[in-house]
Amino acid sequence: MKKIGATLLIAAIGGAIALGGYKLFENRQLDRMTFEEQQRVFYANNPGAEIMSSTGNPDFTQAAAAVTPGVVHITVTSTARGSQRGGGEPFDLFEEFFGMPQQRRQQPRQSTGSGSGVIISPDGYIVTNNHVVQDADKIEVKLTDKRTFEAKVIGRDANTDLALIKVSASNLPIVKLGDSDNVQVGEWVLAVGYPLGLESTVTAGIVSAKGRQIGILGESQQQQQQRPRGFGNPQGQEEQMINTAIESFIQTDAVINRGNSGGALVNARGELVAINSAIASPTGVYAGYGFAIPINLAKKVLDDFKEFGSVKRGYVGVTFNEINEALRKEVGIEDVSGLYVRDVVKGGGAEAAGIRKGDVLTKIEGRTIESTPDLQERVARLRPGDKVKLTYKRDGKEKEVAVTLTGEQSKTAANESAGGSASGAEIFNKLGASFVPASDAKKKELGVNSGVVIAQVHRGGLFEYFGYESGLVITEINGKPVSNVDDIESALSNTRRNMINIVAVPRRGSIREMNVPLQQQ
């Protein structure tokens, strides 16, 4: 009996060790997966009844019930400084010229805004719009079960109007990622969010169009690219403003209003096909036209945020115009669709593939190019170094080539904005930066045991103000070693007297230490 008992005990211990080792391996594997791959594992382990697409009389009760718990209400608090007399008055410049005390000239103003978000992983990653959280000092997320969490920004991108935020929670309800390429014009869709200050709201409509370009992100980009007063061009030349925005919206007549931004657009099977972003309206409220960001574009951007802290965008290396009657007459071509190549970037992928000025781009990955979004949205799903098949026409003959995408070409690429009792998450957002863990090789190179790399510095945050740059490795905050974004938030929660102590290592044997005040004039 003793031998049997000992054998059973050894077997139990061995089983526990094996199970623990498997769980540790499984967690590490999940961290390396994309959000879509993580969801496949989740649904494989948590199978549910398949939601069937409606036929006959529409019935969206199953889809609404499945999606609603995973769509959250986001409340944003931000602080802006403006003149006591009101912006734009002549007295502002007069007082500044004569040295009026800054405390009198500028008064902090706190404002709040709201939007929606979609939970895409059980451990708290949430997708929303960039314009919902871009000026946030504090972000509060409220679920349909009334639980509230404070969120931190993982990454933002003004070019796509997407943002990824995270709350510290587990076992959260998620919305299943769909395939926006399979969305058809005329298909039923539901918009889920928190419009006009209301609680969770579901509306229904159809897909009215795909690949819409409405110019709303381009306008935002041009405003953000304006130089601050006092920073002139040394050569006295105006720097050309380049619109790097990517617009390929899904248009729907499902009712979308203020507050729906960042919410879910799902098909009748309850799959997330787009992120609600904008409306076209002369009154500012719903007038029949809503626009949402395709989820297939969002997947790549969100995975970039998680892995790199910023978007890794690939470029073909051409400037182009959509073909219309005026262009046909100007350059003497007969093509009625496609993109006319105005110029080829020297050293870019298109030049290496043999594309030249005057060519007409007709297809990408075998799909006909009718307008700008057909090219931009497909390329935006890829990273530098990826290859894409392009078909171009020259002298009436078509040729297909593989173009290797290159990295950022334009020095005018858009920067972003970011913004006390302050929690760790609130202070994290005020830093105005995105971070990724330092690799083992990088830590070995610098001779450190911990560290996070600044992936991106956003305009208007503390890091930009105090001169912190992308690529710098931060090893300690407030005396605590930091190795990931959760460590940063935890360390920032120990901030005392509105002063953050930051230790960075620019190179081996060199330490840069700075006390950063939370409030600067």
Side-chain angles (χ1 to χ4, degrees), residues 333 335 356-360 392-399:
I333 58 175
D335 300 87
R356 300 202 303 245
K357 178 180 179 180
D359 291 343
V360 176
Y392 66 88
K393 184 182 291 187
R394 183 188 301 162
D395 300 327
K397 298 179 180 179
E398 282 191 334
K399 183 178 180 180

Side-chain angles (χ1 to χ4, degrees), residues 141-368:
V141 170
K142 185 177 181 181
L143 277 63
T144 53
D145 61 10
K146 309 303 180 184
R147 285 184 293 168
T148 60
F149 301 92
E150 197 166 346
K152 56 180 175 285
V153 177
I154 302 301
R156 300 190 293 102
D157 180 45
N159 288 309
T160 54
D161 195 26
L162 288 167
L164 181 68
I165 64 176
K166 188 178 188 300
V167 298
S168 296
S170 59
N171 299 319
L172 296 180
I174 67 174
V175 179
K176 187 175 184 179
L177 298 176
D179 185 349
S180 53
D181 287 348
N182 290 336
V183 171
Q184 301 295 317
V185 174
E187 179 180 347
W188 281 105
V189 286
L190 305 179
V192 186
Y194 294 77
L196 303 176
L198 299 172
E199 292 298 310
S200 179
T201 300
V202 180
T203 58
I206 63 167
V207 172
S208 306
K210 295 177 65 177
R212 284 290 197 226
Q213 188 174 29
I214 58 177
I216 188 170
L217 298 185
E219 293 175 6
S220 173
Q221 281 292 322
Q222 290 184 4
Q223 292 170 4
Q224 290 188 19
Q225 288 176 359
Q226 297 298 327
R227 292 171 178 261
R229 184 171 59 186
F231 289 82
N233 189 318
Q235 284 75 34
Q237 298 175 350
E238 287 296 324
E239 188 172 349
Q240 184 180 5
M241 295 301 178
I242 299 176
N243 182 7
T244 54
I246 301 167
E247 293 189 6
S248 184
F249 292 115
I250 293 175
Q251 181 181 323
T252 178
D253 65 355
V255 178
I256 295 174
N257 268 304
R258 291 191 304 273
N260 273 115
S261 290
L265 190 73
V266 301
N267 59 24
R269 294 180 296 278
E271 298 168 337
L272 184 66
V273 295
I275 302 298
N276 297 322
S277 184
I279 59 175
S281 169
T283 62
V285 294
Y286 176 74
Y289 307 99
F291 301 91
I293 304 161
I295 197 62
N296 284 6
L297 170 61
K299 289 174 187 175
K300 183 267 180 185
V301 173
L302 299 173
D303 287 331
D304 277 0
F305 286 152
K306 184 182 178 185
E307 185 174 354
F308 306 111
S310 60
V311 178
K312 300 298 181 183
R313 182 175 174 186
Y315 291 84
V316 173
V318 295
T319 59
F320 55 82
N321 291 108
E322 290 186 10
I323 293 176
N324 54 31
E325 188 62 30
L327 181 64
R328 291 175 65 200
K329 291 180 180 178
E330 176 191 343
V331 299
I333 58 175
E334 297 181 356
D335 300 87
V336 295
S337 63
L339 302 175
Y340 178 80
V341 178
R342 282 286 189 186
D343 204 357
V344 177
V345 177
K346 189 172 180 59
E351 182 188 54
I355 296 175
R356 300 202 303 245
K357 178 180 179 180
D359 291 343
V360 176
L361 304 181
T362 57
K363 294 179 182 177
I364 179 168
E365 298 292 347
R367 295 171 179 251
T368 301

